[in-house]
Amino acid sequence: MAKRGRTGSLIALALGAVAVWAARDIPRQMGARAKGERLERMLASPQFADGKFHNSVPATMLAASSMPKIFAETLRDRERRHPRLPIPVITPDPGAPADGLHVTWYGHSSAMIEIEGRRVLLDPVWSERCSPSRLSGPRRLHEPPVALRDLPPLDAVLISHDHYDHLDMETIQNLVDLQAAPFLVPLGVGAHLERWGVPATRIVEMDWNDTHRIGGLEFISTAARHFSGRGFGRDGTLWTSWVINGPGRKVFYSGDTGYFPGFAEVGQEHGPFDVTLVQIGAYNEAWPDIHMFPEDGVATHVDVRGGLMIPVHWATFNLALHDWSEPADRTWREAKARDVRLAVPRPGERVDVDNPPAVDGWWQQIA
């Protein structure tokens, strides 16, 4: 009996040690609050009032009254929110030239844009979980198609907002060492990066409608309808969509967003675009204003006057209650109904925007 008690104590101590190890990074994962000049820029922003950032069109957040129903739904049909078979992952060629216009989707919202000789990385998340904890939170459904160390030299890293599935501390820290590219982020997000060791000289914070140039590329921060926050507070940093202009080609990235008239304004002012990367997953009737339904994603592509549409924010992490394959199914159906050119690449697949692969429904074979 005494031996059994000692064994139990050792197991408890081991579990406690694991928990302490796993929790040690959580305070740093939360990031930091802006201060000094960074805070002054936030206070001067037209989007900032009453201590936080605001959408141009107010967005309804998840109501507390919806929580019991949502919790009950999470317990049902769990298997349908995961693919039945492994997700096919393609290893991209790191030596491919960046000429022309190509998009490599790495999963969720992480992607690389190769535009007229330059390379831009969007919302890189390479960690096993999109969470402040190493032991809990949404876990990857497929491996990253390429190791961070095998990425080719980048010209810029763009961040849309500070949620864990778009801004990953460990990935950022690795990129600081592996790359020399600057990080373009919305207002307030630079404080997170500085706490994680990114030199201030490599951080460019931008408000909506700000423009920044790197080499032959122009980056414009444009409006989105979302929210922000890595801890218990909300909207202490800004969220954004992105316009990337090369000498002759144009790209639009929606970031996370609800549908709103601002996208038509983006199309009128900055379009047309050769390709769009548009959020289509993690939607629900309980939060219709902060994540688009797939049909809204197609409407956004049309509003900004896009050429080829590449859907993102699906397949990699289970963040909502819909079936795993539903976002791609609904997007494909709506794209056909509205005569929208569509490419749905496998993770790691490099898409030539001028000669995209035909949609083949690969996800339906594993759902």
Side-chain angles (χ1 to χ4, degrees), residues 18 62 96 143 165-166 192 201 289 292 305 318 321 347:
V18 169
L62 178 63
E143 292 296 315
D165 58 321
H166 294 259
H192 300 329
T201 54
D289 296 340
M292 293 189 291
R305 298 194 290 158
N318 180 7
L321 302 174

Side-chain angles (χ1 to χ4, degrees), residues 47-294:
Q47 281 61 249
F48 195 85
D50 304 320
K52 62 181 181 179
F53 287 99
H54 296 263
N55 287 298
S56 58
V57 176
T60 301
M61 299 296 175
L62 178 63
S65 59
S66 302
M67 292 304 294
K69 179 182 177 182
I70 291 173
F71 179 73
E73 290 179 358
T74 63
L75 302 178
R76 296 196 298 266
D77 300 326
R78 290 184 178 183
E79 69 282 353
R80 296 172 62 179
R81 296 196 289 274
H82 297 77
R84 179 176 50 87
L85 298 174
I87 296 171
V89 174
I90 295 175
T91 301
D93 177 9
D99 297 341
L101 182 56
H102 297 81
V103 175
T104 303
W105 178 58
Y106 298 121
H108 200 57
S109 293
S110 302
M112 183 170 66
I113 312 297
E114 297 169 288
I115 175 170
E116 298 177 282
R118 303 285 183 174
R119 294 185 179 93
V120 180
L121 188 62
L122 305 180
D123 283 350
V125 175
W126 257 249
S127 289
E128 181 69 14
R129 297 183 187 272
C130 55
S131 165
S133 170
R134 299 180 182 218
L135 298 180
S136 64
R139 193 171 187 173
R140 300 187 69 93
L141 300 177
H142 64 82
E143 292 296 315
V146 62
L148 281 175
R149 64 179 177 276
D150 293 330
L151 288 177
L154 302 171
D155 294 278
V157 179
L158 268 58
I159 304 296
S160 63
H161 63 297
D162 70 1
H163 286 158
Y164 291 97
D165 58 321
H166 294 259
L167 178 63
D168 177 53
M169 181 183 75
E170 186 174 352
T171 300
I172 295 296
Q173 290 174 327
N174 285 327
L175 284 172
V176 170
D177 295 332
L178 294 168
Q179 298 280 345
F183 296 82
L184 278 60
V185 302
L187 289 180
V189 175
H192 300 329
L193 270 59
E194 272 200 274
R195 184 176 187 189
W196 301 337
V198 181
T201 54
R202 289 178 61 181
I203 301 171
V204 180
E205 279 195 318
M206 299 173 64
D207 199 350
W208 290 349
N209 303 313
D210 282 352
T211 298
H212 186 78
R213 292 182 179 275
I214 299 174
L217 298 182
E218 177 186 58
F219 300 90
I220 305 171
S221 172
T222 45
R225 190 186 186 198
H226 199 52
F227 69 108
S228 67
R230 295 177 72 81
F232 298 106
R234 277 190 171 181
D235 303 339
T237 61
L238 188 59
W239 47 94
T240 193
S241 56
W242 286 104
V243 169
I244 306 170
N245 291 331
R249 312 303 296 268
K250 291 186 174 185
V251 179
F252 175 74
Y253 169 46
S254 71
D256 275 11
T257 182
Y259 183 68
F260 77 123
F263 291 129
E265 297 172 13
V266 170
Q268 183 176 0
E269 184 172 356
H270 302 291
F273 296 95
D274 297 285
V275 62
T276 70
L277 292 86
V278 181
Q279 173 257 307
I280 64 159
Y283 48 82
N284 190 279
E285 294 288 351
W287 55 87
D289 296 340
I290 54 174
H291 277 171
M292 293 189 291
F293 292 89

